[in-house]
Amino acid sequence: MAAKRPCLARLGAVSRNSSIFGVKNGTKHRQGACQWRPISHATRLLRHQQQQQQQQEAEAEAQSGRGGGGGGGGGGPSVKSPLTSSHIPSPRTKYSSIRLNDLKGSPKAKAKRLSVSVDGHFTTYDYIFLRDACTCPRCVDPSTRQKSFNTADIPQEITARQAIQSPTDGSIQIHWANDIPGFSSSPPPPNDEAPHITTLTPEFLRANVSARNRVRARYNNPRRVLWDAEIMAADATWLDYSSYLESDETLHAALRALTTYGLLFLSNVPSSPSAVENIATRIGPIRDTFYGRTWDVKSVAAAKNVAYTHQYLGLHMDLLYMQAPPRLQFLHSLRSSCTGGQSLFADSFRAAHALRLGNPHAFRCLETFPVTYHYRNDNQHYHFTRPTIELDPYPASAASPSSSGSASSSPSSSSSAARRISHVNYSPPFQAPFEADIGTADNGYALRGYLRAIRDFQSLAASPDAVFELRLEEGQCVVFDNRRVLHARRAFDVASGERWLKGAYLDQDPFLSRWRVLEERFGAVAAAGAAGTAANGGRGGRVLQEEEEGEEYEGGDEHI
């Protein structure tokens, strides 16, 4: 029997044994809690009748198909396949490479979906999706590569007059029966224009077989390694500054390290304040903030930020008080002659994933409880509220189509357990008093649950075996994912020497854009060898595993 899905009360997740859960037998519920809604007798009877009707129709179609006529399906539109004559096959007949699929199960209704053979397996696509995806010169401008029609103009009941699949390359051509006004595939075409035909390649069809394929087609599902101090000591990627600037393959290796580990080091960087700009702009435009286009990290009198002191600075992330925190942070060491000041890094995704496996209730608390961050100093007032853990909107583990055979899915229907961690937000020095939930509405239940959860997360992230420590020497630069990697600094003695870092930020969009372009060029070559071998001369024989292969999270890929 499938496990019951837990309800969530307000903003905090609750345990299965909590009294606020609804029950099936009609027990009274606490106000504001989720409740089980019983199914009425009329609803059960209606569903039973629908199931019986669908079963009878399926049996009738099967018998019609075995009769040999091949003409079952009433007045549905014809489908031409190179493998069979035109017909609408029943569910039990041997399918041709394309078949029409009635959304409601009635052979008299117009077919609204198309089932296509992709790599030997049938996948069902909605006609609205297929029409919207047309990239012919009339639908997508060849120069701007932008759509020339509105999705809202697609007829609600759009269907195909004819669909043909090529026996050679597997592409499909669709002649629409009721296309968008102004687009006609019925001869003779209006105004002597060529008929409108939608052609979809096998690569497109394959990319949309499943949610996982759709995400991977845009390179939005990079392989990740969740690391601790020992793993990072063995796997840390070091690249030469000149090669990074001059070689696209080296830049690809750098971006692969950032998407895989969230951490990258450059060596032989010139002792120039402008060098960090060269490093950042190699990927994309620098993010300009009230700190400046670039900024200096050194101890100053009357500092307006704890980073500009010589004090210990604990694990944190930058600019969480802004609506869109920067994705990448660059720190170039220009001076490093003082005692102390070692840099510390920890993988927040590893801590969050360990929490997800060991304490799902605490994970849900961090996923739902709102935490406010702010910067209110030096004539500035920034303020934003967000949960500690954010998940991708779509499930990355959907390796196959849904049970109905449809290639489309809804993000709202997916459980959070099937979605990957997208961002972690953790910055105690810049945390403001709680606002959205201060513990008065539910006797402090959610607030106390958050406190227990964040304490567990902090213990995992800051444990000695989780923190990678090194001293950034002059001529070295660290680049890290500010939405994943926590960074910190040990205190240093200003009387013993100087510590000066030059910093810059980069937003997520230019980073991912450059990553997708280079991954499309070099990804297949890089994947053919050991992961990251070209980046740092080898990874000690470590082999990255596919996510489907297990739940290892130390030195293996994230399995979420």
Side-chain angles (χ1 to χ4, degrees):
M1 182 176 64
K4 296 177 181 177
R5 294 179 63 185
C7 291
L8 300 181
R10 297 181 178 88
L11 296 173
V14 296
S15 66
R16 297 176 186 272
N17 298 324
S18 172
S19 62
I20 72 170
F21 269 94
V23 294
K24 293 182 178 180
N25 60 8
T27 304
K28 291 183 178 180
H29 303 270
R30 184 178 296 180
Q31 185 177 3
C34 299
Q35 300 184 17
W36 293 97
R37 292 183 172 87
I39 300 175
S40 67
H41 176 71
T43 302
R44 290 195 189 95
L45 181 60
L46 178 61
R47 291 182 179 178
H48 179 66
Q49 292 174 345
Q50 291 174 341
Q51 291 173 356
Q52 283 187 327
Q53 180 180 359
Q54 291 174 358
Q55 183 176 359
Q56 291 172 359
E57 291 172 350
E59 291 177 353
E61 287 189 66
Q63 293 176 359
S64 174
R66 286 194 295 269
S78 65
V79 181
K80 291 186 178 180
S81 167
L83 303 180
T84 64
S85 60
S86 299
H87 72 289
I88 302 177
S90 71
R92 296 184 182 179
T93 59
K94 187 175 181 180
Y95 293 124
S96 61
S97 58
I98 297 184
R99 67 177 185 268
L100 292 178
N101 189 335
D102 170 26
L103 190 62
K104 296 182 179 179
S106 171
K108 295 182 179 180
K110 287 185 177 181
K112 299 179 182 178
R113 302 188 298 178
L114 186 70
S115 293
V116 182
S117 177
V118 181
D119 297 329
H121 301 280
F122 277 102
T123 301
T124 302
Y125 305 89
D126 194 289
Y127 277 131
I128 295 176
F129 167 75
L130 296 176
R131 178 58 186 89
D132 189 63
C134 183
T135 58
C136 76
R138 293 178 62 186
C139 293
V140 176
D141 186 273
S143 177
T144 65
R145 304 185 70 175
Q146 294 164 2
K147 290 175 67 172
S148 55
F149 69 94
N150 296 333
T151 299
D153 295 335
I154 299 175
Q156 191 72 27
E157 303 298 323
I158 191 170
T159 187
R161 181 173 59 84
Q162 185 182 79
I164 304 173
Q165 184 167 29
S166 169
T168 55
D169 63 2
S171 62
I172 62 173
Q173 287 188 343
I174 302 175
H175 301 248
W176 300 103
N178 52 330
D179 204 347
I180 296 174
F183 293 81
S184 176
S185 59
S186 301
N191 303 324
D192 296 328
E193 293 183 2
H196 176 240
I197 301 173
T198 294
T199 301
L200 300 171
T201 66
E203 291 77 18
F204 172 84
L205 298 172
R206 190 176 299 113
N208 289 281
V209 162
S210 66
R212 177 182 291 267
N213 283 18
R214 288 193 292 275
V215 172
R216 286 181 171 176
R218 295 285 186 175
Y219 306 103
N220 288 335
N221 190 30
R223 182 177 294 176
R224 294 172 179 165
V225 171
L226 305 180
W227 50 268
D228 57 14
E230 180 181 1
I231 292 170
M232 184 50 62
D235 288 7
T237 297
W238 286 87
L239 299 174
D240 178 73
Y241 170 81
S242 297
S243 180
Y244 170 88
L245 292 184
E246 298 168 2
S247 169
D248 283 350
E249 290 188 67
T250 302
L251 179 60
H252 174 251
L255 300 184
R256 178 176 284 269
L258 289 170
T259 57
T260 305
Y261 296 89
L263 194 58
L264 165 72
F265 298 95
L266 299 179
S267 58
N268 303 318
V269 181
S271 181
S272 167
S274 63
V276 72
E277 292 191 53
N278 299 333
I279 296 171
T281 55
R282 180 75 168 100
I283 301 174
I286 287 178
R287 164 79 172 270
D288 201 346
T289 70
F290 67 89
Y291 293 110
R293 178 176 168 82
T294 62
W295 26 271
D296 298 299
V297 183
K298 58 171 63 175
S299 180
V300 298
K304 302 300 182 181
N305 189 307
V306 65
Y308 302 154
T309 71
H310 65 279
Q311 304 168 12
Y312 169 78
L313 177 57
L315 291 170
H316 69 287
M317 293 162 169
D318 281 13
L319 277 56
L320 295 187
Y321 41 77
M322 294 185 176
Q323 187 273 335
R327 179 67 184 267
L328 297 183
Q329 183 170 170
F330 304 78
L331 292 172
H332 171 212
S333 177
L334 290 168
R335 301 288 185 274
S336 182
S337 59
C338 66
T339 302
Q342 291 86 351
S343 297
L344 310 173
F345 302 96
D347 188 359
S348 71
F349 283 13
R350 175 184 178 271
H353 186 57
L355 193 67
R356 187 181 217 170
L357 295 179
N359 191 345
H361 170 66
F363 184 89
R364 286 193 297 273
C365 286
L366 298 186
E367 182 193 344
T368 56
F369 191 86
V371 181
T372 301
Y373 299 93
H374 70 165
Y375 181 88
R376 191 173 186 178
N377 197 356
D378 197 25
N379 203 31
Q380 305 287 341
H381 189 177
Y382 287 82
H383 174 279
F384 203 82
T385 300
R386 49 183 21 108
T388 303
I389 296 174
E390 298 180 49
L391 302 181
D392 282 339
Y394 299 99
S397 60
S400 60
S402 61
S403 58
S404 65
S406 173
S408 61
S409 61
S410 170
S412 60
S413 65
S414 60
S415 168
S416 64
R419 292 185 284 151
R420 294 187 1 146
I421 297 170
S422 172
H423 303 121
V424 168
N425 305 303
Y426 182 77
S427 190
F430 298 95
Q431 190 171 319
F434 296 110
E435 290 183 351
D437 192 333
I438 61 173
T440 57
D442 59 353
N443 295 321
Y445 183 87
L447 180 60
R448 282 171 168 75
Y450 164 77
L451 181 59
R452 288 189 293 268
I454 198 64
R455 186 182 293 120
D456 290 346
F457 172 83
Q458 178 178 282
S459 177
L460 290 166
S463 63
D465 64 332
V467 179
F468 176 64
E469 178 176 343
L470 86 162
R471 179 184 177 88
L472 271 181
E473 302 295 348
E474 296 179 9
Q476 295 177 346
C477 179
V478 60
V479 187
F480 57 91
D481 187 341
N482 184 59
R483 307 307 306 276
R484 171 182 177 179
V485 175
L486 300 164
H487 66 288
R489 178 200 66 210
R490 296 200 182 279
F492 59 95
D493 182 8
V494 293
S496 65
E498 186 179 6
R499 184 181 189 270
W500 177 18
L501 303 178
K502 195 74 172 178
Y505 293 122
L506 193 80
D507 280 332
Q508 173 168 294
D509 289 329
F511 162 59
L512 292 181
S513 173
R514 182 56 62 94
W515 156 250
R516 294 182 188 115
V517 169
L518 294 180
E519 179 68 4
E520 190 169 14
R521 286 177 58 190
F522 303 112
V525 176
T533 302
N536 66 352
R539 295 200 183 281
R542 188 181 309 280
V543 178
L544 303 184
Q545 299 180 4
E546 291 291 342
E547 294 169 354
E548 300 93 328
E549 293 181 357
E551 291 190 349
E552 291 187 21
Y553 65 90
E554 290 188 337
D557 285 328
E558 183 181 16
H559 181 83
I560 304 177

